[in-house]
Amino acid sequence: MCVQCRATAAGAAVHHGAEEGAERCSQPRPLRPGSLARSLCRRPGGLRAAPRCGAELQRGGGDGTGDGNRSGSDSLIRRRKRRVGAVAGSCRRASGGGGAVAEMCAAREGRWGRRQRALLCCALVAALEAAWGQLRYSVSEELPKGSFVGDVAKDLALQLAALRDRGARVVSADRTRYFALHANSGHLVTAERLDREQLCRLVERCVLRCEVIVEGEMKVYEIEVEITDINDNAPSFRESEMQLRMSETTALGSRFPLADAHDPDVGVNSLQSYELSGDEHFSLSVQAGADGEKRPELVLAKALDREEAAFHELVLRASDGGEPSRTGTALIRVSVLDANDNAPVFSQAVYAVRVPEDVPVGSTLLTLTATDADEGFNGYVKYSLKKATDLASEIFHLDPETGSIRLVRSLDFEEGDSYEMEVQAHDGGGLFDTSTVSVSVTDVNDNAPEISVRSALSEISEDAPSGAVVALLHVQDRDSGANGEVRCSLVGDVPFRLRSSVGSYYSVVTARELDREEVSEYNVTVRAADGGSPSLRSSAVLALRVLDVNDNAPVFAEARYSARLAENNAEGALVLTVRAWDADWGQNARVRYRLAEGRVRGAPLSSYVSVQAETGALYALRSFDYEEVREVGLWVRAEDGGAPALSSNVSVRLLIVDENDNAPQVLYPPAAAAGAAAGAVWTGVELAPRSAEPGALVAKVVAVDADAGQNAWLSYELAKATEPGLFRVGLHSGEVRTARSPLARDAPRHSLVVVVKDQGRPALSATATLTVVLAESVAELLSELGSAAAPAEPAGSLTRWLVLAVAAVSCLFLAFLLLLLALRLRRWRRSQLLPPASGALRGVPASHFVGIDGVRAFLHSYSHEVSLTADSRKSQRRWAADSCCNTLPARPPPDKAAPLLGEDAAGARGAQPDALPIKSMKIKEKYTSLLDIC
């Protein structure tokens, strides 16, 4: 019978009769609020209501469904209130009848008030234990696997949906898992068949403890489950047959202890009675020991006579109180011996020994000593175990000859700290003596602390607040005393700390903020050490990965960037590459680049340069001109891929490098117009007196260069002069001065060509032409400029060869012209004899080719401008445009047919006799040109 059921039965027996109490103990019941409620009910002031408190609590939760006692207690209190109100009303109605009735009503009201207060106390205690998060249930042993124990979700007010999402599990300190939690229903069920005798061998009240851990909340709820006994074991004797020897002179009434039976059940299911059958010489006496156990004794009721019966066989039956009752039997065989008047005597009534739990197997713990004054067979003493537990029989061995007790199995203080055995020494005549052996086991620090990780995170965000729970640990040491005191600590300098939780539980929490960029993974070592000497240690490692948070902006490799780019660059040329790194990880560390808004010379910056988003490469989108843009300042922004994104900016300075792409530009003397006549080429006319001294300033050539630096440094030199030694030019100033005094033989007009060069690589140059007139006055200058003849340049060999070539060409042209006239006359004569097929050339009238005047009209003279110098490589020739619209062009337009030749071969073969070959036309053109030159 369970403790609660016994309390219920007792309460029912007091108030409602024993029958009702027996009915209420038919089923196991949940123990919440449990023994604490009953103990509070038994406090001073509530002693009279204590039995009633137990009975009423059982009445409130008697359905056995596990839905708790709170609702039952509430309903019971409401019923009691109604009953008290009814009684109070009746008392008020009867108060007018006399004082005796009033006193009786007042007494009844006092009893009901005390009962109501007791019930309210029990209900409050039940609610208090529920708030503590501790549940107690009761379940019978030997139930099949998966049997219902209690509704944990309902008793703890946990939502089933949250329980399924967050996850919950049952853990216990034992290696065997006895209970499980159904996540769908929230019910606590058995994980395997429970055997109370195996789980709690020597304990009357068998309670298994476990914890329910809710993963998401990191909370622990303690659960106690009492395993109630059922009558599943029959009483049994250690030996099925017992041998006794008695002398025939044994006095009547002598008592002989018998081996008692053992029933592992408890309560009414345990051993209750013994019965003896088989012979009238003996009777059975059952004695109650100090520990409440029943010890059978065989009593000699009739004198023995060996000659009448040498042996007597008896049957000892042991019965328990279960329903149905179970029994066990043992056969007692009594041998009648001759007289033996001295019994063995132990040297000590109690043998006590203390041994450490690490004593080696096979060691002799102590040796029993018993003496017998008889001689021979009657004085020969042997030893045997009279009474010992099954566990003691497995650990110790008693040598029957020497009486030494030897260890046959290792001791374990955690399994048992003391053992008590009853030994017997008997001689050959059947006389004996008994003694008690007590073995105390002292604890040795042989168990290291055990660390169990009940719940742990594998990863945590780096922005987790201080105090966030990372893991839930359970630490225990099976030793006792100082050897079982455990101290826990964390190894190394880690941003975590241990916080004590419920019971032997510890929480690993964050001690400060985490930084993934500093440490991305932690191996947190939890070390537990006991208080033994030497101390034993154990450790557990928690692997924790820190998740990244976008808390770092990109950082550029340089504080500022600058680059030099030569002008006239190609479009799309790479200028430079900016680099930025982000200390974050993954998408948070992905950096993209873009240009900040800006303008250059009124145009958007994006039209000048662009940046590649992935690589940070800066490209020029157009060709830069140093003369227009010398420097471009811009900002490049680097932005990571986090949410929200972080960014940083860097300044980029782009310097345009000048190249020698501009030739010097002469400002003075001004350049001649492109279509000027032959006499207008002398644009820069300067006056130099014939009496000028050497070094006299004549003129100054002024030039500029749009480039910069070395490319704009200009130098001047005299390239050509009519009189080379008369003038000189300053190298850097461009000043034209006289190198000597003019002479009378010097020509009055001098042409100077000054070359202006820059210092670039390669150097670019420009020329300036000056006309210097040696005159004493402005009138003489104007007279010289107005003369038609220019100073003749010295004739060279080239001129002579040119005249010869012109004469030869003229002769050839005249010969060809005569031949052409002869052919023309011949064709005209034939046309007079035979009519022609066509009266005119295609596109050209025939009258144009008749007579010398016609030829001259056709061969219209061309105007040419020829400049000849001593150096033939610098000669120039200019052809003037046509001056008459009737002049036949040297080359026909592409959209018109050829005027003299036919369009096909047949037309060529059948050409008219008055058609002229094109070659003759070219010769005429050359001849006319040469005539103009001459």
Side-chain angles (χ1 to χ4, degrees), residues 670-728:
V681 295
W682 312 102
T683 56
V685 179
E686 297 293 338
L687 174 63
R690 286 184 174 272
S691 60
E693 297 294 331
L697 179 62
V698 177
K700 183 175 181 179
V701 178
V702 181
V704 294
D705 197 317
D707 295 324
Q710 185 177 353
N711 297 328
W713 297 350
L714 301 180
S715 62
Y716 303 85
E717 63 180 67
L718 187 59
K720 189 174 65 171
T722 306
E723 187 66 35
L726 182 57
F727 301 97
R728 61 182 176 86

Side-chain angles (χ1 to χ4, degrees), residues 337-680:
L337 304 176
D338 286 337
N340 181 18
D341 53 351
N342 291 291
V345 178
F346 279 102
S347 60
Q348 299 178 20
V350 177
Y351 292 87
V353 62
R354 295 177 62 88
V355 294
E357 63 174 329
D358 60 348
V359 64
V361 176
S363 301
T364 300
L365 304 183
L366 77 160
T367 301
L368 306 177
T369 302
T371 59
D372 195 322
D374 295 329
E375 295 182 354
F377 183 75
N378 292 330
Y380 182 70
V381 179
K382 286 189 176 183
Y383 304 91
S384 62
L385 284 176
K386 186 64 177 176
K387 180 182 179 182
T389 62
D390 295 339
L391 183 60
S393 301
E394 296 175 1
I395 296 176
F396 306 104
H397 172 70
L398 175 61
D399 192 321
E401 301 295 334
T402 62
S404 61
I405 297 179
R406 184 167 52 88
L407 187 66
V408 296
R409 205 190 79 179
S410 60
L411 296 173
D412 189 356
F413 178 83
E414 291 70 33
E415 185 178 5
D417 57 353
S418 65
Y419 301 91
E420 189 170 307
M421 299 172 289
E422 190 174 303
V423 295
Q424 188 179 72
H426 55 86
D427 58 14
L431 299 181
F432 61 91
D433 190 14
T434 58
S435 179
T436 301
V437 177
S438 177
V439 180
S440 299
V441 182
T442 59
D443 185 37
V444 175
N445 191 22
D446 59 343
N447 291 283
E450 298 178 357
I451 303 177
S452 302
V453 181
R454 300 301 195 195
S455 180
L457 301 178
S458 61
E459 53 190 23
I460 185 173
S461 178
E462 65 174 327
D463 61 347
S466 179
V469 179
V470 174
L472 189 64
L473 308 177
H474 182 264
V475 182
Q476 68 172 0
D477 195 318
R478 300 184 63 191
D479 295 324
S480 62
N483 297 332
E485 295 178 358
V486 181
R487 298 181 302 275
C488 294
S489 61
L490 297 180
V491 179
D493 184 17
V494 293
F496 303 96
R497 59 183 175 87
L498 283 174
R499 185 174 66 191
S500 180
S501 186
V502 180
S504 300
Y505 280 88
Y506 292 87
S507 298
V508 180
V509 300
T510 56
R512 59 179 185 268
E513 293 183 355
L514 304 177
D515 189 357
R516 191 206 67 83
E517 290 71 35
E518 183 178 351
V519 180
S520 60
E521 292 184 357
Y522 289 95
N523 289 323
V524 183
T525 302
V526 182
R527 180 175 294 170
D530 58 22
S533 180
S535 177
L536 298 181
R537 299 180 179 181
S538 61
S539 61
V541 178
L542 303 175
L544 187 64
R545 185 165 62 93
V546 182
L547 299 180
D548 183 52
V549 174
N550 190 26
D551 55 349
N552 291 278
V555 177
F556 283 93
E558 300 179 17
R560 61 185 57 87
Y561 288 87
S562 63
R564 300 173 67 87
L565 178 64
E567 66 172 334
N568 302 321
N569 58 284
E571 294 182 1
L574 176 64
V575 178
L576 81 161
T577 301
V578 295
R579 293 289 186 183
W581 286 267
D582 197 312
D584 293 323
W585 181 82
Q587 184 67 23
N588 295 332
R590 184 181 179 184
V591 180
R592 296 180 65 87
Y593 306 89
R594 62 187 181 90
L595 288 176
E597 296 294 335
R599 304 186 74 83
V600 177
R601 295 176 60 87
L605 178 63
S606 57
S607 64
Y608 282 85
V609 293
S610 68
V611 63
Q612 215 284 332
E614 299 294 336
T615 63
L618 197 67
Y619 295 96
L621 297 182
R622 63 169 61 179
S623 180
F624 285 91
D625 189 354
Y626 176 83
E627 289 71 34
E628 295 181 0
V629 179
R630 298 193 176 188
E631 180 179 340
V632 177
L634 54 97
W635 290 86
V636 177
R637 173 172 295 177
E639 189 175 86
D640 58 24
L646 301 180
S647 62
S648 60
N649 300 325
V650 69
S651 172
V652 179
R653 183 184 180 192
L654 181 59
L655 301 176
I656 310 301
V657 179
D658 181 48
E659 284 190 348
N660 193 22
D661 58 341
N662 291 282
Q665 182 179 1
V666 178
L667 301 181
Y668 183 83

